[in-house]
Amino acid sequence: MRLAPLALVLLTVGASAQPATLAGRVLGSDGAPLPGAAVVVEGTARGAAAGADGRFEIAGLDAGPAEVVATLLGYAPARQRVTLLAGETAEVEVVLLETTLDAGEVVVTARETLTGRGTLDVPGSGHYVGPRVIERVGGGDIHRVLREVPGVTIQEEDGYGLRPNVGLRGSGAERSSAITLMEDGVLIAPAPYAAPAAYYFPSVGRMDGVEVRTGAGQIKYGPATTGGALNLLAARIPEGAEARGEVVLGPNDQRTLHARAGASTPSAGWLGGLGVGAVLEVRSDDVDGFKTITGPSGSALLAPNGDPYETGFDKLDVFGRVRLATRPEAAVFQSLTLTAGQTDEVSDETYLGLAAADFEATPYARYAGSRYDRMDADHEALRARHVAVFSDRLDLTTTLYRNAFARNWYKLDKVSAGGGSVGVASILDDPETYAGELVAVRGEGAGSLYVKANNRSYLSRGVQTVAGLRLGTPARGALVEAGLRVHADEMDRFQWVDEYAAAAGQTVIVAEGTPGTDSNRIESAEAVAGFVQADIQLGALAVTPGARFESVRLRREDFGTADPERTGADLSVRENTVSALIPGLGAVLDVGRGWRLFGGLHRGFAPPDSRPETDPESSVNAEAGVRFGGEAVEVQAALYHTAYRNLLGSDLAAAGGGGTTDQFNGGRVDATGAEVGVSADLARLGGAADVAVPVRVAYTYTDGRFQNAFESDFDAWGTVAVGDELPYQARHRLYVRAGVERGGWAVALLANAVSDMRAVAGQGAIPESERIPAHAVLDVVAEAPLPGGLALTGRVVNLTDETYVVARRPAGLRPGLPRTATIGLRVRIGR
């Protein structure tokens, strides 16, 4: 039913022209370069920030007439017409005149982004992945997009990127709970304070950009400031009219339908001269899955309708926003942007992996005991953002937001083979001791299967406001920002367990659980946070001092499993209140010829849980690095050291734990690392103008070790000795993307290599039962122009069909995606 309306939208999308490149400089009236000026091609999502010498470059544009728009705070916007030729680079020079009027939408963009779509002058490490890279290399998988960024820790889980586990600079990756996750600069995790380890991550396939900020400059975001912040940039309202669409087909009935349309005008007569714009986007991702649920004979297990059980997912995203704005020359520029999004997901996923011997024999099989495992989830997001630009020196941005998330992951939890029940993680960790239970899980013998309905609902809402004050001049002045956030969130766990009897490959439900009889509690948090930060420009030196304050009250109301009606007869309550001052200082020095040195020092913080004995995460973080921005080469390299005074770990079922979500004090940990990111066009370096040879290299070195000994109930830590390495931290990660582009044709090879990882803290040689072996995976992506302006796309993931382990948690070994080839058709219209 979903395919028909999407197909109709796609059929309305027209043609695009051949790719071209726009380059040039942005100068002031005195001929001096204007670094940081934003340059966009009107009617597209293509843009760039001018470097220290005023130069910019925008690749991947449609050939034909175009209008270039350059903006910079304190200057009047400038427009210039240019003709773009296929496979060629057009050079322009744009001059901006100083003015007391402000381009208000520049402020809007700045408030929604972490890097301003440029990273040269960011106080600390910062990376931006643009729409072209997301479109070509991502394929809807956030893990593949984030490989472009050094310093990111990734643990795959399902092969499709549906369950992201992302960490930054040695932080834990479990459910992306140790980072600050945002969409358009707004907290997007279902309960970022009370329960950050949730099961929602925005769909990267509908994003225009991905930003990662680490170092001292990211403390203004929070609440987690140790590793850093990850921000996803949703669809922008275009200037003029624009539409695009894509269809992708692949094996296992894989199909993606994606459509976006938007338009805007700076002055609508029917609105009294107000500017108005809107964008609407729909994306559907469906696949039957690459794993096979097998029965006692080893063949595919059939559902009652005679079809094999599916192991894939069905996901629908609907997103839209509307903006009203005064004209830019108004005495006070104002805009109001309303954003709404909804995600509906049904995925036949499980926590159940494979025992080592079974993985060796049939890595893409799934045990019969997981046949009923399914996640049903819905997410709704609402945002209202008001921007007021009182002058070229003062602006105020206020955002109201509300996120609601409900999900029920119905999945096998425990098994009994005549004795007591045993958790699935324990069975697969020790298949010899629990041989009877493993036989029942395989569907080869009798036993009781306990399938838990992990039913939870989340609610997050708040208001945040940021004021910006500009002092002095761009060369010698400061942007002072002050922000305040009032936030509340909660997680309501209302779970139950159903019992099935398994025998002779068949299962029959014997006892339906009563909702609320397994887990019946509410976790909630109320937080007030504020920050003050100044970007001070002193000629070639930029200094960014700042401080953040967090005050959080966390509360758990446990009604007990014997009181599903929640009468309060068995109610227990616990609370934990914490506050923290989080200072930071960053600096960037322009040493000339495109080179910059940067460094910083800041405090790391993350809120604890509601147990009074749990302390907040605390750390001291230092970094030093160098950047280079040239016409054909960009480099960023950094060294960092994170000294945890108290590392937090969570008891998550996703991490192989009991699923209580209680947090554990891990004490002192030192994490040291190096990050190198290089982007270059080898053809331009060699003087070629009619072809592009883009190359991207991202390397990450991480060494994280405990500095104190302790006993932990957290399975991934266990008995810890001084010097033990952190689990799920690969020492080395290397990613290389190299391609050739000419006249609309493009092909690229993507290589990703990861060294051995530990599943449990330890040191020395990794025991085989705790090792996630090193692996290297090759992908190929290609694009070819077709008559009428269409583009044919192709992708082969895991070109060599490497069989590799991505994790030993939540329960048992889990494989990466096998070789998968897809083909697609992409279309676009717009000025």
Side-chain angles (χ1 to χ4, degrees):
M1 293 297 293
R2 296 176 180 172
L3 302 183
L6 283 171
L8 289 174
V9 175
L10 291 171
L11 288 173
T12 65
V13 182
S16 65
Q18 302 295 321
T21 300
L22 174 70
R25 301 182 71 198
V26 183
L27 306 174
S29 57
D30 58 357
L34 294 178
V39 183
V40 299
V41 178
E42 192 172 49
T44 76
R46 312 293 185 192
D53 56 357
R55 285 202 62 83
F56 66 88
E57 180 177 312
I58 309 171
L61 298 170
D62 293 340
E67 188 162 2
V68 184
V69 182
T71 55
L72 181 66
L73 293 175
Y75 294 81
R79 296 172 178 267
Q80 187 167 324
R81 297 288 296 178
V82 63
T83 299
L84 303 175
L85 300 179
E88 297 187 11
T89 299
E91 288 279 345
V92 297
E93 189 174 275
V94 186
V95 177
L96 298 184
L97 303 178
E98 290 190 60
T99 179
T100 58
L101 299 177
D102 192 12
E105 287 310 309
V106 175
V107 175
V108 174
T109 299
R111 290 287 182 258
E112 292 183 343
T113 66
L114 311 190
T115 66
R117 295 179 182 257
T119 58
L120 286 177
D121 296 302
V122 168
S125 295
H127 297 271
Y128 168 71
V129 182
R132 190 67 168 168
V133 173
I134 295 173
E135 193 174 60
R136 281 188 172 173
V137 311
D141 186 345
I142 184 63
H143 294 118
R144 283 181 155 73
V145 173
L146 289 177
R147 289 172 181 172
E148 298 264 333
V149 181
V152 176
T153 298
I154 297 169
Q155 180 207 317
E156 297 183 55
E157 187 171 314
D158 61 280
Y160 292 112
L162 200 62
R163 306 278 183 267
N165 295 275
V166 179
L168 296 171
R169 290 193 166 179
S171 72
E174 299 88 356
R175 292 292 178 226
S176 308
S177 59
I179 64 175
T180 294
L181 178 64
M182 294 179 286
E183 182 175 315
D184 292 337
V186 174
L187 295 177
I188 199 65
Y193 283 86
Y199 295 91
Y200 172 76
F201 200 99
S203 302
V204 73
R206 65 173 178 83
M207 297 299 165
D208 274 353
V210 175
E211 299 177 300
V212 176
R213 281 288 298 272
T214 51
Q218 51 91 10
I219 63 168
K220 68 179 184 180
Y221 304 111
T225 63
T226 297
L230 192 158
N231 186 40
L232 300 154
L233 300 173
R236 291 287 185 263
I237 296 173
E239 294 190 35
E242 180 183 290
R244 66 182 71 174
E246 184 177 30
V247 178
V248 177
L249 302 176
N252 302 309
D253 284 336
Q254 182 176 346
R255 53 211 176 272
T256 294
L257 297 175
H258 186 192
R260 180 194 295 182
S264 67
T265 177
S267 179
W270 54 279
L271 281 174
L274 290 178
V276 61
V279 64
L280 175 65
E281 184 170 26
V282 182
R283 182 181 175 97
S284 173
D285 288 286
D286 305 285
V287 65
D288 291 347
F290 65 91
K291 299 176 185 176
T292 301
I293 298 180
T294 57
S297 64
S299 58
L301 192 67
L302 301 182
N305 64 2
D307 294 330
Y309 283 93
E310 294 183 4
T311 60
F313 65 93
D314 183 347
K315 189 173 184 180
L316 178 66
D317 281 277
V318 180
F319 176 87
R321 64 167 113 221
V322 178
R323 183 186 66 226
L324 296 175
T326 60
R327 294 188 62 81
E329 62 267 22
V332 177
F333 172 88
Q334 296 185 74
S335 70
L336 176 63
T337 304
L338 305 177
T339 300
Q342 180 165 345
T343 301
D344 179 13
E345 175 198 325
V346 176
S347 54
D348 298 300
E349 260 300 338
T350 181
Y351 268 14
L352 192 62
L354 296 172
D358 294 328
F359 186 92
E360 183 71 23
T362 54
Y364 305 121
R366 252 178 59 179
Y367 294 134
S370 69
R371 73 186 74 182
Y372 301 122
D373 291 10
R374 169 173 286 200
M375 163 81 87
D376 192 342
D378 296 284
H379 185 272
E380 296 178 353
L382 296 172
R383 296 192 290 276
R385 170 168 277 144
H386 178 263
V387 176
V389 182
F390 301 101
S391 71
D392 61 335
R393 295 188 176 274
L394 179 64
D395 63 76
L396 181 69
T397 302
T398 303
T399 306
L400 294 169
Y401 59 92
R402 182 184 187 274
N403 299 307
F405 180 55
R407 61 91 168 172
N408 184 6
W409 197 342
Y410 191 67
K411 60 182 184 291
L412 182 65
D413 183 50
K414 295 181 179 180
V415 179
S416 174
S421 59
V422 183
V424 291
S426 298
I427 296 170
L428 296 183
D429 283 345
D430 191 358
E432 293 184 2
T433 299
Y434 301 110
E437 285 79 5
L438 183 57
V439 167
V441 169
R442 287 173 174 157
E444 298 172 347
S448 296
L449 307 179
Y450 299 93
V451 184
K452 179 185 291 189
N454 286 264
N455 182 58
R456 306 176 191 179
S457 60
Y458 300 78
L459 181 62
S460 171
R461 65 275 191 201
V463 58
Q464 61 187 42
T465 186
V466 180
L469 175 65
R470 292 161 189 82
L471 305 173
T473 66
R476 289 191 173 272
L479 168 60
V480 181
E481 291 183 297
L484 178 68
R485 176 197 292 153
V486 179
H487 174 96
D489 60 48
E490 66 179 42
M491 174 186 69
D492 188 339
R493 293 171 59 124
F494 200 63
Q495 303 178 175
W496 65 95
V497 176
D498 294 336
E499 180 184 353
Y500 292 81
Q506 303 297 318
T507 59
V508 178
I509 191 165
V510 296
E512 293 186 5
T514 300
T517 55
D518 176 75
S519 186
N520 183 17
R521 66 176 190 258
I522 298 174
E523 306 271 1
S524 60
E526 296 176 348
V528 176
F531 77 90
V532 177
Q533 184 167 285
D535 291 325
I536 304 171
Q537 190 72 44
L538 303 170
L541 176 65
V543 181
T544 307
R548 180 179 189 82
F549 177 76
E550 289 274 2
S551 178
V552 188
R553 183 174 74 92
L554 301 120
R555 177 182 174 90
R556 172 185 287 187
E557 299 171 273
D558 193 337
F559 293 90
T561 58
D563 185 19
E565 300 298 327
R566 293 186 170 177
T567 65
D570 194 27
L571 178 65
S572 63
V573 178
R574 71 188 195 195
E575 286 190 1
N576 192 6
T577 302
V578 297
S579 60
L581 180 64
I582 307 161
L585 176 64
V588 180
L589 177 63
D590 188 340
V591 296
R593 297 183 179 273
W595 290 93
R596 288 169 171 79
L597 305 178
F598 65 89
L601 185 70
H602 77 280
R603 180 186 176 188
F605 167 83
D609 62 14
S610 57
R611 294 186 301 167
E613 64 269 24
T614 307
D615 297 322
E617 185 168 273
S618 179
S619 64
V620 176
N621 309 268
E623 72 167 352
V626 60
R627 291 193 191 100
F628 173 76
E631 293 185 16
V633 179
E634 291 185 1
V635 179
Q636 179 170 287
L639 299 174
Y640 75 88
H641 180 74
T642 300
Y644 287 94
R645 295 173 179 172
N646 180 48
L647 174 71
L648 285 181
S650 297
D651 177 35
L652 304 175
T660 67
T661 69
D662 287 341
Q663 294 189 337
F664 297 91
N665 295 319
R668 294 177 53 221
V669 171
D670 283 351
T672 302
E675 306 163 357
V676 179
V678 180
S679 296
D681 185 342
L682 300 185
R684 289 192 63 189
L685 286 175
D690 60 344
V691 65
V693 183
V695 174
R696 172 65 177 172
V697 177
Y699 170 72
T700 302
Y701 169 82
T702 306
D703 183 18
R705 297 177 182 270
F706 287 96
Q707 301 300 308
N708 59 303
F710 61 95
E711 295 280 344
S712 175
D713 293 332
F714 181 36
D715 289 350
W717 292 350
T719 301
V720 174
V722 175
D724 278 358
E725 295 176 325
L726 293 174
Y728 283 92
Q729 293 285 356
R731 183 71 62 92
H732 304 279
R733 293 178 181 269
L734 176 64
Y735 170 80
V736 179
R737 169 171 53 85
V740 178
E741 302 175 5
R742 182 177 183 179
W745 295 82
V747 63
L749 179 67
L750 291 62
N752 185 65
V754 181
S755 63
D756 288 350
M757 287 187 288
R758 297 178 178 275
V760 179
Q763 53 188 295
I766 305 176
E768 190 60 33
S769 62
E770 299 175 1
R771 187 169 71 96
I772 297 98
H775 63 268
V777 178
L778 298 178
D779 298 348
V780 174
V781 296
E783 184 172 328
L786 294 176
L790 303 176
L792 182 68
T793 64
R795 174 192 309 274
V796 181
V797 173
N798 194 356
L799 179 66
T800 61
D801 204 18
E802 180 80 7
T803 300
Y804 61 102
V805 177
V806 296
R808 289 180 174 269
R809 61 185 183 188
L813 278 68
R814 311 180 77 85
L817 190 68
R819 180 165 54 217
T820 302
T822 60
I823 188 169
L825 186 65
R826 184 180 299 144
V827 291
R828 187 190 308 269
I829 58 174
R831 292 192 300 120

